[in-house]
Amino acid sequence: MTVTTASLPFLRACRRERTAFTPVWAMRQIGRYLPEYRAIRARLSLLDLCKTPDVAAELTVRTVEVLGVDAAIIFADILLLAEPLGVGLSYVAGEGPAIERPVRTREDVRRLPDVDPRDAVPFVFDAIRFARRGLAGRVPLIGFAGGPFTMASYLVEGGPSRAFLQTKRLMRGDPEAWHALMERLAVLTARYLEGQIAAGADAVQLFDSWIGCLAPADYREFVLPHTRRVIAALPPGVPVIHFGTGTAGLLEVMRDAGGDVIGLDWRVDLAQAWRRLGDGVAVQGNLDPAVLLAGPEEIRHGVRAVLDAAAGRPGHIFNLGHGVLPETPWQHVVAMVDAVHEMSRHRE
Ligand code: CP3
Protein backbone atom coordinates (compact mmCIF):
# COMPACT_ATOMS: atom_id res chain seq x y z
CA MET A 1 0.00 0.00 0.00
CA THR A 2 1.90 3.04 -1.18
CA VAL A 3 0.52 6.40 -1.89
CA THR A 4 3.19 7.08 -4.45
CA THR A 5 1.98 4.54 -6.97
CA ALA A 6 -1.70 3.89 -6.66
CA SER A 7 -2.97 7.33 -5.77
CA LEU A 8 -0.80 9.33 -8.12
CA PRO A 9 -3.41 10.22 -10.74
CA PHE A 10 -5.82 11.17 -8.01
CA LEU A 11 -3.35 13.31 -6.16
CA ARG A 12 -2.04 14.81 -9.35
CA ALA A 13 -5.57 15.93 -10.11
CA CYS A 14 -5.67 17.70 -6.78
CA ARG A 15 -2.53 19.58 -7.47
CA ARG A 16 -3.62 20.67 -10.92
CA GLU A 17 -5.05 23.92 -9.61
CA ARG A 18 -2.39 24.17 -6.92
CA THR A 19 -5.12 23.86 -4.34
CA ALA A 20 -5.93 21.50 -1.55
CA PHE A 21 -8.31 18.92 -2.87
CA THR A 22 -11.94 19.19 -1.88
CA PRO A 23 -13.83 16.18 -3.12
CA VAL A 24 -17.53 16.04 -2.80
CA TRP A 25 -18.70 13.02 -0.95
CA ALA A 26 -19.87 15.62 1.50
CA MET A 27 -22.66 16.00 -1.02
CA ARG A 28 -24.55 13.23 0.71
CA GLN A 29 -27.76 14.78 1.91
CA ILE A 30 -27.44 17.25 -0.88
CA GLY A 31 -31.19 16.57 -1.03
CA ARG A 32 -31.86 18.81 1.82
CA TYR A 33 -29.67 21.68 0.80
CA LEU A 34 -29.53 22.15 -2.96
CA PRO A 35 -32.68 23.60 -4.61
CA GLU A 36 -31.95 21.76 -7.89
CA TYR A 37 -32.01 18.46 -6.02
CA ARG A 38 -35.26 19.23 -4.26
CA ALA A 39 -36.91 20.04 -7.57
CA ILE A 40 -35.87 16.66 -9.00
CA ARG A 41 -36.92 14.81 -5.84
CA ALA A 42 -40.37 16.39 -6.08
CA ARG A 43 -41.01 14.16 -9.10
CA LEU A 44 -38.69 11.17 -8.48
CA SER A 45 -38.12 9.03 -5.39
CA LEU A 46 -34.50 8.51 -4.32
CA LEU A 47 -34.51 4.99 -5.81
CA ASP A 48 -36.10 6.16 -9.06
CA LEU A 49 -33.57 8.98 -9.28
CA CYS A 50 -30.70 6.49 -8.94
CA LYS A 51 -32.34 4.32 -11.60
CA THR A 52 -32.54 7.24 -14.05
CA PRO A 53 -28.87 7.52 -14.99
CA ASP A 54 -29.06 10.63 -17.13
CA VAL A 55 -30.66 12.54 -14.25
CA ALA A 56 -28.23 11.08 -11.66
CA ALA A 57 -25.32 12.05 -13.90
CA GLU A 58 -26.65 15.55 -14.51
CA LEU A 59 -27.05 16.08 -10.78
CA THR A 60 -23.49 14.88 -10.20
CA VAL A 61 -22.12 17.39 -12.70
CA ARG A 62 -24.37 20.24 -11.59
CA THR A 63 -23.29 19.83 -7.97
CA VAL A 64 -19.63 20.24 -8.94
CA GLU A 65 -20.54 23.44 -10.78
CA VAL A 66 -22.52 24.86 -7.86
CA LEU A 67 -20.08 23.93 -5.10
CA GLY A 68 -16.81 24.37 -6.98
CA VAL A 69 -15.29 21.20 -5.54
CA ASP A 70 -12.31 19.46 -7.14
CA ALA A 71 -13.88 16.04 -7.61
CA ALA A 72 -17.30 14.60 -8.30
CA ILE A 73 -18.89 11.68 -6.52
CA ILE A 74 -21.43 9.75 -8.49
CA PHE A 75 -25.01 10.18 -7.35
CA ALA A 76 -26.04 6.77 -5.97
CA ASP A 77 -26.47 5.17 -2.53
CA ILE A 78 -24.61 2.45 -0.68
CA LEU A 79 -27.85 0.52 -0.22
CA LEU A 80 -28.69 0.13 -3.92
CA LEU A 81 -27.25 -3.41 -3.70
CA ALA A 82 -29.77 -4.35 -0.99
CA GLU A 83 -32.61 -4.40 -3.52
CA PRO A 84 -31.24 -7.18 -5.75
CA LEU A 85 -30.35 -9.11 -2.57
CA GLY A 86 -34.11 -9.46 -2.17
CA VAL A 87 -34.41 -8.06 1.35
CA GLY A 88 -36.90 -5.32 0.48
CA LEU A 89 -35.37 -1.83 0.43
CA SER A 90 -37.22 1.41 0.90
CA TYR A 91 -36.36 4.89 2.14
CA VAL A 92 -38.62 6.30 4.83
CA ALA A 93 -38.80 10.09 4.85
CA GLY A 94 -37.03 11.47 7.90
CA GLU A 95 -35.81 8.05 9.04
CA GLY A 96 -33.53 6.72 6.35
CA PRO A 97 -33.24 3.32 4.73
CA ALA A 98 -35.51 0.44 5.79
CA ILE A 99 -34.98 -3.27 5.06
CA GLU A 100 -38.22 -5.25 5.14
CA ARG A 101 -36.72 -8.69 5.70
CA PRO A 102 -33.54 -8.37 7.78
CA VAL A 103 -30.82 -11.02 7.58
CA ARG A 104 -30.49 -12.41 11.10
CA THR A 105 -29.86 -16.16 10.88
CA ARG A 106 -27.65 -18.56 9.02
CA GLU A 107 -30.72 -19.57 6.98
CA ASP A 108 -31.25 -15.92 6.00
CA VAL A 109 -27.63 -15.72 4.85
CA ARG A 110 -27.94 -18.93 2.84
CA ARG A 111 -31.07 -17.63 1.10
CA LEU A 112 -29.34 -14.53 -0.29
CA PRO A 113 -29.14 -14.80 -4.08
CA ASP A 114 -25.88 -14.60 -6.00
CA VAL A 115 -25.97 -11.12 -7.49
CA ASP A 116 -24.03 -9.85 -10.49
CA PRO A 117 -24.03 -6.05 -10.23
CA ARG A 118 -23.77 -5.73 -14.02
CA ASP A 119 -27.26 -7.23 -14.32
CA ALA A 120 -28.65 -5.94 -11.03
CA VAL A 121 -27.65 -2.26 -11.01
CA PRO A 122 -26.66 -1.38 -14.59
CA PHE A 123 -27.99 2.15 -14.04
CA VAL A 124 -25.07 2.97 -11.70
CA PHE A 125 -22.54 2.12 -14.40
CA ASP A 126 -24.55 4.09 -16.96
CA ALA A 127 -24.66 7.09 -14.62
CA ILE A 128 -20.85 6.91 -14.29
CA ARG A 129 -20.43 6.83 -18.08
CA PHE A 130 -22.80 9.79 -18.54
CA ALA A 131 -21.27 11.80 -15.69
CA ARG A 132 -17.79 11.27 -17.06
CA ARG A 133 -18.92 12.57 -20.37
CA GLY A 134 -20.56 15.58 -18.70
CA LEU A 135 -17.48 16.36 -16.62
CA ALA A 136 -15.28 16.18 -19.72
CA GLY A 137 -12.14 15.72 -17.65
CA ARG A 138 -12.65 18.90 -15.63
CA VAL A 139 -12.49 16.98 -12.32
CA PRO A 140 -12.03 13.30 -11.47
CA LEU A 141 -15.09 11.16 -10.76
CA ILE A 142 -15.29 9.05 -7.60
CA GLY A 143 -17.34 5.85 -7.46
CA PHE A 144 -18.31 4.31 -4.15
CA ALA A 145 -19.77 1.41 -2.20
CA GLY A 146 -20.58 0.59 1.40
CA GLY A 147 -17.92 -1.27 3.33
CA PRO A 148 -18.80 -4.87 4.22
CA PHE A 149 -19.44 -4.14 7.90
CA THR A 150 -21.68 -1.15 7.19
CA MET A 151 -23.61 -3.09 4.53
CA ALA A 152 -24.00 -6.04 6.90
CA SER A 153 -25.19 -3.73 9.67
CA TYR A 154 -28.05 -2.39 7.52
CA LEU A 155 -29.00 -5.87 6.34
CA VAL A 156 -29.00 -7.31 9.87
CA GLU A 157 -30.50 -4.37 11.77
CA GLY A 158 -33.06 -3.60 9.07
CA GLY A 159 -32.24 0.11 9.21
CA PRO A 160 -30.12 2.67 11.02
CA SER A 161 -28.94 1.72 14.49
CA ARG A 162 -27.16 3.21 17.50
CA ALA A 163 -25.69 0.19 19.24
CA PHE A 164 -25.71 -2.42 16.43
CA LEU A 165 -26.84 -5.11 18.86
CA GLN A 166 -28.43 -7.46 16.31
CA THR A 167 -25.28 -7.20 14.20
CA LYS A 168 -23.04 -7.98 17.16
CA ARG A 169 -25.36 -10.80 18.20
CA LEU A 170 -24.93 -12.52 14.84
CA MET A 171 -21.19 -11.82 14.80
CA ARG A 172 -20.63 -13.40 18.22
CA GLY A 173 -23.52 -15.86 18.29
CA ASP A 174 -22.85 -17.49 14.94
CA PRO A 175 -19.40 -16.48 13.69
CA GLU A 176 -19.65 -18.94 10.82
CA ALA A 177 -22.83 -17.35 9.51
CA TRP A 178 -21.30 -13.89 10.07
CA HIS A 179 -18.20 -14.71 8.06
CA ALA A 180 -20.36 -16.28 5.33
CA LEU A 181 -22.39 -13.05 5.11
CA MET A 182 -19.28 -10.86 5.08
CA GLU A 183 -17.68 -13.03 2.42
CA ARG A 184 -20.74 -12.72 0.21
CA LEU A 185 -20.75 -8.96 0.69
CA ALA A 186 -17.03 -8.68 0.03
CA VAL A 187 -17.27 -10.51 -3.28
CA LEU A 188 -20.32 -8.50 -4.31
CA THR A 189 -18.74 -5.18 -3.33
CA ALA A 190 -15.52 -5.95 -5.17
CA ARG A 191 -17.47 -6.78 -8.34
CA TYR A 192 -19.54 -3.65 -7.93
CA LEU A 193 -16.50 -1.40 -7.58
CA GLU A 194 -14.72 -3.16 -10.44
CA GLY A 195 -17.77 -2.40 -12.58
CA GLN A 196 -17.66 1.25 -11.56
CA ILE A 197 -13.96 1.46 -12.41
CA ALA A 198 -14.57 -0.22 -15.76
CA ALA A 199 -17.33 2.35 -16.43
CA GLY A 200 -14.84 5.18 -15.81
CA ALA A 201 -14.57 5.97 -12.09
CA ASP A 202 -11.14 7.55 -11.48
CA ALA A 203 -11.09 6.57 -7.80
CA VAL A 204 -13.39 4.69 -5.45
CA GLN A 205 -14.42 5.28 -1.88
CA LEU A 206 -15.38 2.52 0.51
CA PHE A 207 -17.78 3.93 3.11
CA ASP A 208 -17.47 1.70 6.17
CA SER A 209 -19.23 4.43 8.09
CA TRP A 210 -20.23 2.50 11.21
CA ILE A 211 -17.10 0.48 12.12
CA GLY A 212 -16.53 2.88 15.03
CA CYS A 213 -18.86 0.74 17.14
CA LEU A 214 -16.32 -2.09 17.17
CA ALA A 215 -13.45 -2.98 19.49
CA PRO A 216 -10.16 -3.08 17.56
CA ALA A 217 -9.77 -6.82 18.21
CA ASP A 218 -13.27 -7.48 16.87
CA TYR A 219 -12.57 -5.36 13.79
CA ARG A 220 -9.44 -7.42 13.20
CA GLU A 221 -11.22 -10.74 13.54
CA PHE A 222 -14.65 -10.09 12.06
CA VAL A 223 -14.15 -7.31 9.50
CA LEU A 224 -10.56 -6.79 8.40
CA PRO A 225 -10.15 -9.94 6.25
CA HIS A 226 -13.28 -9.08 4.30
CA THR A 227 -12.47 -5.42 3.75
CA ARG A 228 -8.95 -6.36 2.77
CA ARG A 229 -10.38 -8.76 0.23
CA VAL A 230 -12.49 -6.03 -1.39
CA ILE A 231 -9.59 -3.60 -1.64
CA ALA A 232 -7.09 -6.22 -2.80
CA ALA A 233 -9.42 -7.29 -5.62
CA LEU A 234 -9.41 -3.84 -7.23
CA PRO A 235 -7.13 -3.02 -10.15
CA PRO A 236 -3.86 -1.32 -9.15
CA GLY A 237 -3.52 2.34 -10.09
CA VAL A 238 -7.05 3.32 -9.07
CA PRO A 239 -6.91 5.09 -5.70
CA VAL A 240 -9.08 3.66 -2.94
CA ILE A 241 -10.34 5.92 -0.15
CA HIS A 242 -11.20 3.93 2.96
CA PHE A 243 -13.54 5.87 5.25
CA GLY A 244 -15.09 5.29 8.66
CA THR A 245 -16.38 7.38 11.55
CA GLY A 246 -15.51 7.08 15.23
CA THR A 247 -12.27 5.37 14.22
CA ALA A 248 -9.88 6.88 16.80
CA GLY A 249 -9.33 3.39 18.23
CA LEU A 250 -9.18 1.69 14.84
CA LEU A 251 -6.77 3.69 12.67
CA GLU A 252 -4.01 1.08 12.63
CA VAL A 253 -6.32 -1.85 11.87
CA MET A 254 -8.14 0.17 9.24
CA ARG A 255 -4.85 0.93 7.53
CA ASP A 256 -4.00 -2.77 7.67
CA ALA A 257 -7.23 -3.52 5.80
CA GLY A 258 -6.02 -1.26 2.99
CA GLY A 259 -6.68 1.94 1.08
CA ASP A 260 -4.41 4.58 -0.44
CA VAL A 261 -6.28 7.25 1.46
CA ILE A 262 -7.80 6.93 4.93
CA GLY A 263 -10.88 9.11 5.52
CA LEU A 264 -10.98 10.67 9.00
CA ASP A 265 -13.86 12.18 10.91
CA TRP A 266 -13.46 15.25 13.15
CA ARG A 267 -13.11 13.37 16.42
CA VAL A 268 -9.40 12.83 15.78
CA ASP A 269 -6.60 15.35 15.46
CA LEU A 270 -5.57 15.08 11.81
CA ALA A 271 -1.82 15.49 12.45
CA GLN A 272 -1.81 12.90 15.21
CA ALA A 273 -3.92 10.47 13.20
CA TRP A 274 -1.59 10.82 10.21
CA ARG A 275 1.43 10.09 12.42
CA ARG A 276 -0.28 6.91 13.58
CA LEU A 277 -1.15 5.88 10.03
CA GLY A 278 2.42 6.38 8.82
CA ASP A 279 3.96 7.83 5.68
CA GLY A 280 2.65 5.36 3.14
CA VAL A 281 -0.90 6.62 3.19
CA ALA A 282 -2.78 9.81 2.28
CA VAL A 283 -5.52 11.24 4.50
CA GLN A 284 -8.88 12.81 3.79
CA GLY A 285 -10.75 15.04 6.20
CA ASN A 286 -11.72 16.24 8.62
CA LEU A 287 -13.80 19.35 9.35
CA ASP A 288 -16.77 18.86 11.69
CA PRO A 289 -19.88 19.24 9.44
CA ALA A 290 -21.53 21.20 12.26
CA VAL A 291 -19.06 24.04 11.60
CA LEU A 292 -21.02 24.72 8.38
CA LEU A 293 -24.03 25.72 10.47
CA ALA A 294 -22.08 28.72 11.76
CA GLY A 295 -21.19 31.94 9.93
CA PRO A 296 -18.43 32.63 7.37
CA GLU A 297 -15.83 33.61 9.98
CA GLU A 298 -16.26 30.39 11.94
CA ILE A 299 -16.13 28.40 8.70
CA ARG A 300 -12.86 30.06 7.71
CA HIS A 301 -11.50 29.43 11.18
CA GLY A 302 -12.45 25.74 10.98
CA VAL A 303 -10.93 25.33 7.51
CA ARG A 304 -7.72 27.00 8.65
CA ALA A 305 -7.41 24.65 11.62
CA VAL A 306 -7.69 21.58 9.38
CA LEU A 307 -5.20 22.96 6.84
CA ASP A 308 -2.80 23.87 9.68
CA ALA A 309 -3.00 20.30 11.01
CA ALA A 310 -2.19 18.97 7.53
CA ALA A 311 0.64 21.55 7.31
CA GLY A 312 0.76 21.48 3.52
CA ARG A 313 1.95 17.89 3.45
CA PRO A 314 1.30 16.28 0.06
CA GLY A 315 -1.43 13.68 0.25
CA HIS A 316 -3.97 15.64 2.23
CA ILE A 317 -7.44 15.74 0.70
CA PHE A 318 -9.59 18.35 2.40
CA ASN A 319 -13.07 17.15 3.26
CA LEU A 320 -15.75 17.22 5.89
CA GLY A 321 -15.42 14.53 8.54
CA HIS A 322 -18.85 13.18 7.54
CA GLY A 323 -21.83 14.12 5.36
CA VAL A 324 -23.32 17.61 5.18
CA LEU A 325 -26.00 18.09 7.85
CA PRO A 326 -29.54 18.50 6.51
CA GLU A 327 -30.01 22.00 7.88
CA THR A 328 -26.85 23.39 6.22
CA PRO A 329 -27.39 26.32 3.79
CA TRP A 330 -25.66 25.35 0.53
CA GLN A 331 -23.97 28.77 0.44
CA HIS A 332 -22.00 27.70 3.52
CA VAL A 333 -20.65 24.67 1.65
CA VAL A 334 -19.50 27.06 -1.09
CA ALA A 335 -17.90 29.31 1.55
CA MET A 336 -15.95 26.30 2.85
CA VAL A 337 -14.76 25.30 -0.62
CA ASP A 338 -13.71 28.88 -1.42
CA ALA A 339 -11.84 29.15 1.88
CA VAL A 340 -9.95 25.90 1.22
CA HIS A 341 -8.92 27.10 -2.22
CA GLU A 342 -7.86 30.52 -1.05
CA MET A 343 -5.93 29.37 2.01
CA SER A 344 -4.19 26.45 0.36
CA ARG A 345 -3.10 28.71 -2.50
CA HIS A 346 -1.56 31.10 0.01
CA ARG A 347 0.24 28.26 1.64
CA GLU A 348 2.18 27.37 -1.52
O1 CP3 B 1 -24.54 13.53 -4.04
C1 CP3 B 1 -24.64 12.79 -3.06
O2 CP3 B 1 -25.42 13.00 -2.11
C2 CP3 B 1 -23.75 11.59 -3.05
C3 CP3 B 1 -24.46 10.34 -3.14
C4 CP3 B 1 -24.61 9.56 -1.84
C5 CP3 B 1 -25.86 9.21 -1.26
N1 CP3 B 1 -25.61 8.34 -0.25
C6 CP3 B 1 -27.19 9.66 -1.71
C7 CP3 B 1 -28.26 9.79 -0.69
C8 CP3 B 1 -23.61 8.94 -1.09
C9 CP3 B 1 -22.10 9.05 -1.25
C10 CP3 B 1 -24.25 8.16 -0.07
C11 CP3 B 1 -23.50 7.30 0.87
C12 CP3 B 1 -24.24 6.67 1.98
N2 CP3 B 1 -25.56 6.28 2.04
C13 CP3 B 1 -23.61 6.28 3.19
C14 CP3 B 1 -22.15 6.42 3.51
C15 CP3 B 1 -21.73 7.79 3.90
C16 CP3 B 1 -22.19 8.19 5.29
O3 CP3 B 1 -22.86 9.19 5.39
O4 CP3 B 1 -21.82 7.51 6.24
C17 CP3 B 1 -24.62 5.71 4.01
C18 CP3 B 1 -24.43 5.18 5.41
C19 CP3 B 1 -25.82 5.71 3.26
C20 CP3 B 1 -27.16 5.16 3.64
C21 CP3 B 1 -28.22 6.19 3.64
N3 CP3 B 1 -28.80 6.73 2.50
C22 CP3 B 1 -28.84 6.79 4.75
C23 CP3 B 1 -28.48 6.50 6.19
C24 CP3 B 1 -29.81 7.68 4.25
C25 CP3 B 1 -30.86 8.44 5.00
C26 CP3 B 1 -30.39 9.48 5.86
C27 CP3 B 1 -29.90 10.65 5.06
O5 CP3 B 1 -28.73 10.94 5.20
O6 CP3 B 1 -30.69 11.27 4.37
C28 CP3 B 1 -29.73 7.66 2.84
C29 CP3 B 1 -30.53 8.49 1.91
C30 CP3 B 1 -29.74 9.30 0.92
N4 CP3 B 1 -28.72 8.82 0.16
C31 CP3 B 1 -29.99 10.65 0.55
C32 CP3 B 1 -29.08 10.95 -0.47
C33 CP3 B 1 -28.98 12.23 -1.24
C34 CP3 B 1 -31.07 11.56 1.11
C35 CP3 B 1 -32.28 11.37 0.25
C36 CP3 B 1 -33.30 12.43 0.44
O7 CP3 B 1 -33.65 12.71 1.59
O8 CP3 B 1 -33.75 12.97 -0.59
Side-chain angles (χ1 to χ4, degrees):
M1 183 184 61
T2 55
V3 67
T4 38
T5 51
S7 57
L8 253 187
F10 191 61
L11 296 175
R12 202 177 294 132
C14 25
R15 290 200 207 101
R16 199 167 41 210
E17 306 270 336
R18 297 172 66 78
T19 61
F21 192 35
T22 317
V24 278
W25 76 267
M27 282 198 311
R28 186 162 104 75
Q29 296 165 338
I30 187 178
R32 304 204 193 95
Y33 72 85
L34 212 64
E36 277 96 333
Y37 177 84
R38 263 186 243 128
I40 293 171
R41 282 281 280 104
R43 58 185 171 88
L44 287 175
S45 71
L46 178 64
L47 271 175
D48 286 340
L49 203 177
C50 293
K51 291 177 184 177
T52 314
D54 55 328
V55 178
E58 198 185 315
L59 192 56
T60 303
V61 177
R62 184 70 196 128
T63 307
V64 173
E65 290 166 357
V66 173
L67 302 183
V69 286
D70 303 308
I73 189 153
I74 192 63
F75 191 87
D77 192 70
I78 65 164
L79 287 164
L80 293 179
L81 286 178
E83 204 172 48
L85 285 173
V87 293
L89 169 70
S90 58
Y91 290 92
V92 185
E95 281 177 41
I99 303 288
E100 232 172 279
R101 295 173 291 282
V103 180
R104 300 227 168 122
T105 64
R106 120 186 340 226
E107 259 320 297
D108 294 339
V109 175
R110 202 170 293 148
R111 262 200 303 271
L112 291 172
D114 199 19
V115 169
D116 183 342
R118 283 171 303 187
D119 305 327
V121 290
F123 41 85
V124 174
F125 309 125
D126 286 340
I128 288 177
R129 280 186 276 270
F130 296 159
R132 231 186 113 91
R133 211 171 300 155
L135 291 168
R138 280 176 288 170
V139 295
L141 177 62
I142 305 174
F144 72 93
F149 176 80
T150 297
M151 290 302 289
S153 82
Y154 280 108
L155 295 179
V156 176
E157 301 291 336
S161 173
R162 257 174 205 281
F164 301 95
L165 298 183
Q166 300 283 1
T167 311
K168 291 180 180 184
R169 180 176 291 151
L170 180 67
M171 185 188 271
R172 296 230 166 258
D174 191 347
E176 217 176 287
W178 170 260
H179 282 294
L181 173 61
M182 290 290 277
E183 231 172 276
R184 298 285 301 274
L185 291 172
V187 170
L188 177 60
T189 306
R191 281 191 202 144
Y192 182 45
L193 290 175
E194 277 164 355
Q196 294 186 38
I197 292 165
D202 298 294
V204 291
Q205 178 150 338
L206 198 60
F207 285 102
D208 223 349
S209 304
W210 309 135
I211 48 175
C213 72
L214 294 170
D218 288 342
Y219 180 91
R220 196 173 278 290
E221 178 175 352
F222 294 108
V223 180
L224 187 146
H226 307 289
T227 304
R228 179 181 277 163
R229 179 171 182 173
V230 175
I231 295 174
L234 302 177
V238 178
V240 177
I241 307 163
H242 182 187
F243 170 81
T245 69
T247 56
L250 298 175
L251 292 174
E252 291 81 3
V253 281
M254 239 184 124
R255 183 204 52 211
D256 287 352
D260 305 286
V261 183
I262 300 291
L264 304 170
D265 81 2
W266 65 95
R267 298 170 183 93
V268 290
D269 176 86
L270 186 140
Q272 228 174 60
W274 209 347
R275 271 196 297 278
R276 280 170 58 194
L277 290 165
D279 285 336
V281 74
V283 300
Q284 174 178 280
N286 69 339
L287 184 64
D288 182 348
V291 170
L292 296 189
L293 301 177
E297 271 320 300
E298 287 81 3
I299 293 172
R300 290 176 65 81
H301 184 78
V303 165
R304 193 180 307 277
V306 171
L307 293 176
D308 282 348
R313 217 174 122 178
H316 172 230
I317 299 167
F318 185 95
N319 205 333
L320 290 173
H322 204 177
V324 177
L325 295 163
E327 42 283 272
T328 309
W330 64 268
Q331 295 88 341
H332 291 195
V333 183
V334 175
M336 172 191 78
V337 173
D338 288 348
V340 174
H341 285 162
E342 181 203 315
M343 291 177 196
S344 48
R345 214 169 286 143
H346 281 157
R347 193 176 287 278
E348 290 202 11

